[in-house]
């Protein structure tokens, strides 16, 4: 290697290190390494992700910024991530200045095949229109009553009997799985009035739930790759892109079938059957929405209400089981003896 090459390499490394320390200086979170950012910590803690993030948040007073890719140009565009659990920040992001935090083109491109331009994948006017329509529906007493009915029925007739049977047989249950099935059944009932009954003894596989999971996972995998690579894989039909295409098509067929059946029912004026689910409410409005739009409404609501509620419930039971004093208080207040 001649002296000039050595000089160029040394200058480049020095420049990189100056740039790296300027990026690193304001970051408060976990240790950031040259090139790979905080990735080593992430990989090291992959089996205790929640605990690791909670420790970082605690150490930084509730908010930190980290860099998952310390490469010039890429870092500013994709690498800097802010993590927060500060209620003030959450209120600001989710309520006060929600419009300041759009999903943006990267997010929208990744989820477009699955969520289209639904509320979870749109900004600006498309989002505002759906937000207003959904907000209007959510304030109605009948929708709340419908939600209560779906939840109560599933808990009383299916969730509790499954727990009781397991208790009598002395068998453990996978509570996370049961709760995911429970919230999936409920949200399908609420969104389009059809309970897929995934929470029944024997815990059957449900092709719609499986396709929905696969499509979500395959969409999330796109985040790992630069956009041009996953687009190229989609074009060639490679790897997870095939799974995504097949599962989205399954979800589409399932929802098309539901929409067509509901159209028939509503046009036949089957008054004996009252449809108070979200889909029927949108279909009964003066404005006529396209089937694609109706499909996206239902799908986005399933995504919104399923994993969020089941994860919150799983955490709730985990916390209660770790705090016997709280469990005792709940039992004293609500147990029927
Ligand atoms: C414990 C349960 C839940 C949690 C933790 C939760 C959390 C959230 C969060 C953080 C967002 C904001 C997402 C964003 O930045 O765009 C959101 C939005 C939303 N959630 Fe929930 N959610 C829960 C349950 C539900 C349920 C049961 C439904 C419907 C039945 C629902 C419907 C929605 C909708 C429609 C939006 C989009 C609002 C918008 O973009 O304007 N959520 N939820």
């Amino acid at each position: 290697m001649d002296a000039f090459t050595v000089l160029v390499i040394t200058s480049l490394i020095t420049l990189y290190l100056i740039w790296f320390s300027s990026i690193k200086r304001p970051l408060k979170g976990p240790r950031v390494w040259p090139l790979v950012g905080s990735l080593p910590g992430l990989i090291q803690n992959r089996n205790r992700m929640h605990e690791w993030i909670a420790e970082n948040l605690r150490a930084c007073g509730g908010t930190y910024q980290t860099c998952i890719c310390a490469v010039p140009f890429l870092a500013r565009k994709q690498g800097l991530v802010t993590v927060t659990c500060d209620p003030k920040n959450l209120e600001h992001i989710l309520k006060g200045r929600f419009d300041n935090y759009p999903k943006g083109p990267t997010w929208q491109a990744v989820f477009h095949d699955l969520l289209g331009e639904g509320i979870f994948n749109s900004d600006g006017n498309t989002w505002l229109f759906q937000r207003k329509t959904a907000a209007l529906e959510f304030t109605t007493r009948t929708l709340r009553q419908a939600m209560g009915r779906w939840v109560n029925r599933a808990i009383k007739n299916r969730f509790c009997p499954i727990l009781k049977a397991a208790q009598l047989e002395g068998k453990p249950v996978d509570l996370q799985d049961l709760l995911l099935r429970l919230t999936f059944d409920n949200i399908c009932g609420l969104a389009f009035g059809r309970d897929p009954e995934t929470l029944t003894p024997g815990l059957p596989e449900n092709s719609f739930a499986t396709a929905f999971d696969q499509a979500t996972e395959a969409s999330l995998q796109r985040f790992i790759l630069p956009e041009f690579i996953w687009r190229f894989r989609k074009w060639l039909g490679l790897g997870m892109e095939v799974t995504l295409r097949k599962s989205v098509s399954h979800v589409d067929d399932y929802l098309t079938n539901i929409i067509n059946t509901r159209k028939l029912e509503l046009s036949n004026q089957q008054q004996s059957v009252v449809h108070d689910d979200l889909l029927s409410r949108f279909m009964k409005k003066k404005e006529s929405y396209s089937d694609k739009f109706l499909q996206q409404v239902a799908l986005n609501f399933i995504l919104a209400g399923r994993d969020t509620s089941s994860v919150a419930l799983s955490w709730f039971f985990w916390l209660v089981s770790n705090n016997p004093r709280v469990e005792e208080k709940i039992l004293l207040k609500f147990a029927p003896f």
Side-chain angles (χ1 to χ4, degrees), residues 94 98 103 119-120 127 131 138 147 187 190 301 304-305 308-309 312:
L94 292 173
F98 190 71
K103 283 104 191 162
I119 192 165
F120 264 111
W127 168 78
R131 173 62 171 265
F138 270 87
M147 200 185 289
I187 200 70
L190 186 75
F301 271 94
T308 46
S309 313

Side-chain angles (χ1 to χ4, degrees), residues 251-252 255-256 259 291-300:
V251 167
D252 276 0
L255 290 174
T256 306
I259 291 172
D291 287 3
K292 194 78 212 157
F293 174 82
L294 293 170
Q295 207 171 311
Q296 285 171 3
V297 169
L299 202 65
N300 277 261

Side-chain angles (χ1 to χ4, degrees), residues 30-221:
R31 182 154 186 193
V32 174
W33 299 85
L35 298 177
V36 287
S38 55
L39 220 54
L42 203 84
I43 294 168
Q44 198 185 353
N45 290 283
R46 64 191 177 282
N47 294 326
R48 53 183 301 277
M49 197 56 73
H50 286 108
E51 286 88 346
W52 183 60
I53 294 173
E55 282 161 15
N56 291 333
L57 284 166
R58 228 171 274 130
C60 300
T63 301
Y64 65 87
Q65 213 181 24
T66 187
C67 179
I68 52 167
C69 163
V71 177
F73 305 111
L74 281 182
R76 293 237 177 258
K77 192 169 181 285
Q78 286 192 317
L80 288 176
V81 178
T82 303
V83 186
T84 186
C85 66
D86 186 331
K88 277 199 196 116
N89 288 341
L90 294 179
E91 188 176 357
H92 169 82
I93 296 167
L94 292 173
K95 193 173 164 208
R97 297 310 306 267
F98 190 71
D99 48 334
N100 260 4
Y101 299 89
K103 283 104 191 162
T106 307
W107 173 280
Q108 284 176 359
V110 161
F111 278 107
H112 193 270
D113 288 324
L114 177 63
L115 298 178
E117 290 182 12
I119 192 165
F120 264 111
N121 205 32
S122 54
D123 291 316
N125 285 340
T126 321
W127 168 78
L128 191 65
F129 165 71
Q130 296 180 60
R131 173 62 171 265
K132 278 188 177 162
T133 321
L136 213 70
E137 287 303 335
F138 270 87
T139 51
T140 57
R141 200 156 50 92
T142 42
L143 191 80
R144 282 159 194 246
Q145 283 172 344
M147 200 185 289
R149 245 192 344 267
W150 285 112
V151 174
N152 282 333
R153 212 174 335 180
I155 291 178
K156 190 164 162 254
N157 298 340
R158 309 215 298 271
F159 186 60
C160 287
I162 288 175
L163 289 184
K164 198 147 231 157
Q167 191 188 20
L168 287 175
E169 289 170 28
K171 279 189 182 159
V173 290
D174 180 349
L175 198 56
Q176 284 197 76
D177 180 43
L178 294 188
L179 291 170
L180 190 62
R181 287 167 182 270
L182 175 76
T183 52
F184 183 63
D185 290 351
N186 285 330
I187 200 70
C188 287
L190 186 75
F192 48 75
R194 193 190 282 182
D195 181 345
E197 302 201 355
T198 60
L199 184 70
T200 30
L203 306 177
E205 274 281 309
N206 176 280
S207 62
F208 176 59
T210 310
F212 190 78
D213 278 341
Q214 283 175 342
T216 315
E217 197 183 326
S219 301
L220 283 170
Q221 289 238 349

